[in-house]
Amino acid sequence: MNRNRFLRVCAASVGLLALMGSASLAEDNYPSRAIRIIVPYAPGGQGDITARLISDHLASAIGQPVTVENRAGANGVIGIDALAKSAPDGYTIGVVVASHALSPALIKPLPYDPVKDFTPITTTAITQMVMVTTPALKANTVQEFIDYAKAHPGELAYKSAGPGSNSHLFGAWFADAAGIDMIHVPYKGSGDSMPDLMSGVVHMGFDTLPAVNGHIKSGQLKLLAAGGPARAPQYPDVPTVAEAGIPGFAANSWGMVLAPKGTPAPVVERLNKEIVAVLNKPDVKARLATMGAEAVADTPEAARKMLESEVKLYTDLVSKLKIDVAK
Amino acid sequence: MMDMLSHLASGFDTALTLQNIMFCFIGVLLGTAIGVLPGLGPLATIAMLLPMTYALEPVSALIMLSGIYYGAQYGGSTTAILVNLPGESGSVVTCLDGHQMARKGRAGSALAIAALGSFFAGTVGTLLIAGFSPYLSRIAMSFGPAEYFSLMVLGLVAAVVLASGGLLKAIAMILVGLLLGTVGTDVTSGVQRFTFGSFELVDGLEFVALAMGLFAFSDIIGNAAGKDEERKLVTDNVGGLWPSREEFRLSWKPVLRGTALGSFLGLLPGGGATLSSFASYMIEKKISKTPERFGTGAPEGVAAPEAANNAGAQSSFIPMLTLGIPGNGVMAMMIGAMMIHDIVPGPQVMTANADLFWGLVASMWIGNLMLVVINLPLIGIWVRFLKIPYSMLYPAIVIFSMIGLYTVQNRISAIYMGAGFAVAGYILNRLKCEPAPLLLGFILGPMMEEYLRRAMLLSRGDPSVFVTRPLSAAMLFLTAILLFTIVSPFVRKKRKEVFVED
């Protein structure tokens, strides 16, 4: 009886000690349980595939399960909002793509600040966007396209994946910089617009290379230029838009791992170290390359700088080109 | 012709993978099961399974969902013949003569006629899709936004004219569907409509929640509220399965006629299995030299409508696959399933997703073959299936459906939406308002708006584009004629007669 009671007291005090220690130990022991990656998009997209690549390799590296949770909707806002409101303890992180930097122009009021409410971990990859036209159009270079558009003002139309999407922004930017008059024709997504672009109902568009590469090869679309800043490795002879006469033009898309604001620095460092290691694996790089994405693994500071500059670039473009849709 | 054969061969390659055979089998098996069970139809079942297909390859998903539709045409006849209850709306007329045959001890023979007639019709339907679709899709490839808009107007109006039930109610349901379809972000301007500031509604109402609530949950509420109909079998012993020489002689021509009629009616908007079976029964009765035998166990009365409903089920895939335009509720579900997988419905499906198209077509023939096997030798199992009490079946179905609904987007709001639509669906059923036109409006409405506004954008705001382009003008002209026929008193009277059995 007595001995039993003694044991119970011992057990209780051990438990108490453990409780007291847990607060300060939390960061040192990190990660001590499963990590959840929120993907604010539907399965199958670039952000989703990147997150799944990371989760597969990260789990074995840190010895804890890593789950991917798709919280799609409202252009990512639902999932990103959930991420922003999660505990900043490193157990909930998220993967976002370039549209994250565009959301202030799309949805108002945005329930979070795309920069200030997050702690970037690393940029994952940069995806080349390309300028494609319908084969129905004679123009074979960017300059010929601009000349044709100038000779036929108001006749040409460019397609986008919706008002305020990056393809809308790049199309409007191109038209503005080249000084040509084109109609903007929005579609529900990139795939939706393909039949019309091929048949010449609309004439030009910016899209990610993997989305149009098959159609370029089959001759159903014409590749006029790489979005930039560099040429696409698959098409070394095709110039960038900037090289072809629109200096400063750069159209690309990217992915980034974010944690909620206030995630402790040691946790951010650990996550950065592990995820950078994953992104540098040859098979991960190869898988990303098949999607036309070039793996980027950098520091949290570099990622923050890039996020800030992208948000600024898009915000400036949106106000300059007057395409703010969420009035 | 050679082209078609090589396409079909590649389709069989896709359809004959282990995984796709399995999903084809699951589909036809489920289809038979819900066909046998009165109360649950293919619309409800497909709605419930939509979320599950999320995890599948698109081609496997469509193979399974289609299997449910044509599988139900087989299963429905079993209950009609043995219990005198239509297991499925496409087999309502099969009760008339099928059950009488069963009472005369020819149940096995009636079942065999139904299954073999269906199989023949299914084979013809499959070939028809394979042969017909490439041409249709090639024509449709040249369509611009103006043509598409006019085509959809025509389709929607035709669906109203040909649909069974009250005209006014059908129109009202389509309008409600159109309205519900406007919820969410406007594709053309990016403006949010009817979202009430909720991010959950920015992408519009969840299609799966709407379909599941309106068709599956509301059906279950309706069945649970109604009295359990007596499901008494005429006999546990279905007798010999082989039809007599005389029955064969009487059946083969009606099968041919039913197949031809069903294939044609399935192509039309608003057509499909149900309309085909009614129409072919009436025609058989009219051209028969001994019309008085109908209703007393005439094999023709089983053969013709059973062939017609399967042919109609099959050929209603053609406008959906080649034009992206759903002719009936099940096809609207198929479009929804494609959209879930990011496949843009339209003529390019044939080229951009050639595997999917030909694999699906090939699987239909395989599925039909499986159905003959499932339905004839295994008839005893299905008969026992009828004895499962609904009080056990329904709670299980509802729970699984809700899990499925949640997993579509990992959002609890989808379940609330589904519950809301379930109540709405039940009320609509009680008011005798068919929810199928609502679904058509919900799917077609946003597409129509998109094409209308895109055509207007490209024409720089000039609406004459719809009548100056010849194809578009022709389709609008046809629509006008159809509209005229609705208001003409003569057609209205005829229409009432045609649908009098409903």
Side-chain angles (χ1 to χ4, degrees):
Chain A
M1 201 59 181
N2 250 350
R3 186 157 159 254
N4 221 340
R5 192 166 164 208
F6 171 75
L7 278 177
R8 251 188 280 164
V9 170
C10 277
S13 37
V14 169
L16 202 64
L17 271 174
L19 263 180
M20 282 158 64
S22 68
S24 60
L25 278 172
E27 284 164 27
D28 300 340
N29 287 344
Y30 178 83
S32 62
R33 56 188 167 91
I35 292 179
R36 178 171 67 134
I37 305 183
I38 293 183
V39 175
Y41 319 105
Q46 183 117 31
D48 178 65
I49 295 172
T50 311
R52 282 172 203 280
L53 273 174
I54 292 175
S55 80
D56 289 350
H57 292 84
L58 190 60
S60 53
I62 60 172
Q64 293 288 348
V66 180
T67 57
V68 173
E69 189 181 315
N70 294 92
R71 296 282 293 270
N75 243 316
V77 171
I78 291 179
I80 297 173
D81 189 38
L83 175 67
K85 294 183 170 59
S86 298
D89 53 11
Y91 291 103
T92 307
I93 56 177
V95 174
V96 300
V97 297
S99 65
H100 176 61
L102 263 163
S103 43
L106 263 173
I107 291 181
K108 278 176 189 167
L110 199 60
Y112 52 79
D113 183 302
V115 180
K116 286 183 193 140
D117 283 335
F118 301 94
T119 313
I121 307 287
T122 177
T123 308
T124 54
I126 287 182
T127 310
Q128 180 78 251
M129 295 200 52
V130 291
M131 174 180 166
V132 282
T133 59
T134 176
L137 211 61
K138 291 274 177 321
N140 287 318
T141 65
V142 175
Q143 197 51 53
E144 281 173 32
F145 180 84
I146 295 174
D147 291 345
Y148 182 90
K150 281 188 173 155
H152 305 83
E155 192 185 287
L156 297 185
Y158 67 96
K159 62 98 181 175
S160 83
S165 63
N166 56 0
S167 48
H168 177 191
L169 213 59
F170 294 138
W173 185 6
F174 179 84
D176 181 71
I180 54 178
D181 174 22
M182 281 196 288
I183 315 167
H184 168 226
V185 180
Y187 288 80
K188 229 178 279 167
S190 154
D192 241 24
S193 66
M194 285 305 150
D196 279 0
L197 186 57
M198 291 177 201
S199 65
V201 170
V202 289
H203 309 91
M204 185 272 264
F206 283 92
D207 221 316
T208 57
L209 185 52
V212 290
N213 204 11
H215 304 312
I216 295 171
K217 283 188 179 145
S218 66
Q220 287 168 300
L221 290 179
K222 238 190 302 191
L223 172 66
L224 253 50
R231 294 186 180 196
Q234 296 96 317
Y235 296 97
D237 299 334
V238 178
T240 66
V241 176
E243 289 168 352
I246 312 284
F249 190 90
N252 54 37
S253 178
W254 42 264
M256 191 175 283
V257 182
L258 297 179
K261 168 184 74 176
T263 305
V267 170
V268 171
E269 268 162 43
R270 176 76 198 279
L271 278 171
N272 176 271
K273 188 181 127 227
E274 300 292 352
I275 294 173
V276 162
V278 170
L279 291 169
N280 280 328
K281 286 189 177 178
D283 53 330
V284 173
K285 276 193 162 164
R287 178 77 183 84
L288 287 170
T290 61
M291 300 190 295
E294 198 184 334
V296 178
D298 52 13
T299 60
E301 295 74 49
R304 172 175 293 280
K305 272 204 189 107
M306 170 160 153
L307 181 60
E308 278 170 356
S309 77
E310 286 288 302
V311 171
K312 186 173 178 320
L313 169 76
Y314 288 150
T315 315
D316 290 352
L317 273 176
V318 160
S319 66
K320 183 180 170 224
L321 303 170
K322 300 190 178 62
I323 47 182
D324 204 346
V325 290
K327 277 176 204 109
Chain B
M1 190 64 195
M2 277 327 282
D3 241 25
M4 181 180 125
L5 288 182
S6 72
H7 281 313
L8 269 180
S10 75
F12 275 102
D13 278 349
T14 310
L16 285 174
T17 61
L18 195 62
Q19 180 183 347
N20 288 337
I21 289 186
M22 194 180 80
F23 282 110
C24 185
F25 181 71
I26 294 175
V28 295
L29 196 70
L30 270 173
T32 308
I34 56 108
V36 168
L37 285 175
L40 277 181
L43 261 176
T45 315
I46 293 172
M48 289 185 286
L49 287 178
L50 270 181
M52 209 195 104
T53 64
Y54 211 33
L56 301 180
E57 296 278 316
V59 59
S60 310
L62 285 180
I63 284 177
M64 182 176 79
L65 296 180
S66 329
I68 293 173
Y69 184 37
Y70 56 79
Q73 310 310 323
Y74 282 77
S77 56
T78 305
T79 322
I81 291 166
L82 294 181
V83 199
N84 201 20
L85 277 178
E88 217 278 305
S89 62
S91 34
V92 172
V93 282
T94 311
C95 292
L96 301 175
D97 281 283
H99 189 65
Q100 291 306 319
M101 280 181 78
R103 295 186 71 160
K104 287 181 184 167
R106 303 297 301 160
S109 162
L111 287 167
I113 290 175
L116 295 174
S118 293
F119 177 66
F120 174 78
T123 308
V124 173
T126 307
L127 283 174
L128 206 65
I129 300 178
F132 218 42
S133 301
Y135 297 104
L136 259 182
S137 82
R138 219 165 296 151
I139 296 170
M141 272 302 217
S142 64
F143 284 12
E147 282 82 8
Y148 257 112
F149 171 74
S150 303
L151 179 65
M152 285 177 179
V153 173
L154 176 62
L156 209 54
V157 170
V160 176
V161 177
L162 296 174
S164 53
L167 194 59
L168 201 62
K169 283 177 176 168
I171 294 175
M173 283 296 94
I174 285 192
L175 289 180
V176 173
L178 290 175
L179 268 179
L180 291 177
T182 59
V183 174
T185 309
D186 172 31
V187 174
T188 313
S189 69
V191 169
Q192 290 173 28
R193 300 187 293 204
F194 305 117
T195 56
F196 305 103
S198 156
F199 288 113
E200 306 286 343
L201 289 174
V202 166
D203 299 321
L205 294 168
E206 173 64 55
F207 172 73
V208 182
L210 179 116
M212 219 185 250
L214 280 185
F215 294 96
F217 294 158
S218 71
D219 269 13
I220 289 175
I221 300 175
N223 284 325
K227 255 195 259 162
D228 224 353
E229 281 176 279
E230 218 176 325
R231 281 171 282 161
K232 256 209 193 101
L233 298 168
V234 252
T235 165
D236 271 337
N237 179 17
V238 293
L241 278 174
W242 208 244
S244 69
R245 188 178 288 256
E246 174 67 6
E247 282 162 343
F248 254 124
R249 194 184 61 76
L250 285 170
S251 301
W252 72 270
K253 272 188 199 156
V255 165
L256 287 185
R257 279 191 292 263
T259 304
L261 186 71
S263 303
F264 173 69
L265 290 178
L267 283 173
L268 301 180
T274 312
L275 179 68
S276 305
S277 62
F278 275 107
S280 83
Y281 187 83
M282 269 181 293
I283 286 184
E284 286 306 320
K285 200 170 165 182
K286 211 156 256 174
I287 63 171
S288 169
K289 287 187 193 110
T290 50
E292 65 281 358
R293 281 174 48 251
F294 279 78
T296 63
E300 305 97 295
V302 177
E306 280 301 316
N309 71 21
N310 209 35
Q314 222 73 268
S315 70
S316 61
F317 277 86
I318 294 178
M320 189 278 287
L321 284 171
T322 57
L323 307 174
I325 294 181
N328 58 36
V330 174
M331 291 305 125
M333 295 273 190
M334 294 286 164
I335 297 249
M338 282 206 228
M339 286 172 163
I340 287 181
H341 283 99
D342 269 337
I343 295 172
V344 186
Q348 75 287 350
V349 167
M350 266 194 110
T351 41
N353 307 84
D355 276 7
L356 177 124
F357 179 85
W358 293 105
L360 179 62
V361 173
S363 86
M364 287 183 184
W365 190 78
I366 298 170
N368 271 292
L369 190 63
M370 286 181 184
L371 279 162
V372 174
V373 179
I374 291 175
N375 275 275
L376 289 184
L378 301 181
I379 196 74
I381 295 178
W382 298 115
V383 170
R384 240 166 287 155
F385 201 75
L386 274 168
K387 292 176 179 157
I388 299 177
Y390 281 179
S391 53
M392 285 167 71
L393 200 61
Y394 283 158
I397 291 178
V398 170
I399 288 173
F400 282 116
S401 299
M402 287 205 291
I403 295 173
L405 198 48
Y406 175 75
T407 54
V408 174
Q409 299 268 356
N410 290 339
R411 276 199 233 156
I412 196 86
S413 62
I415 294 182
Y416 297 142
M417 249 188 240
F421 281 118
V423 175
Y426 178 66
I427 295 172
L428 289 179
N429 276 340
R430 291 304 299 263
L431 295 174
K432 299 247 182 308
C433 291
E434 278 266 351
L438 189 155
L439 194 68
L440 284 184
F442 183 73
I443 289 274
L444 277 176
M447 288 176 156
M448 269 169 70
E449 189 196 2
E450 232 186 292
Y451 286 115
L452 170 72
R453 294 176 64 184
R454 193 169 296 145
M456 295 289 279
L457 265 180
L458 287 164
S459 74
R460 302 252 158 164
D462 179 6
S464 69
V465 65
F466 295 105
V467 286
T468 50
R469 299 186 61 130
L471 267 174
S472 166
M475 285 185 281
L476 287 180
F477 182 66
L478 272 177
T479 312
I481 292 179
L482 268 176
L483 278 175
F484 175 74
T485 58
I486 304 183
V487 288
S488 98
F490 173 74
V491 181
R492 272 171 81 170
K493 208 170 124 239
K494 271 281 170 217
R495 200 173 166 279
K496 261 200 188 120
E497 279 169 29
V498 172
F499 292 114
V500 77
E501 258 108 330
D502 269 20

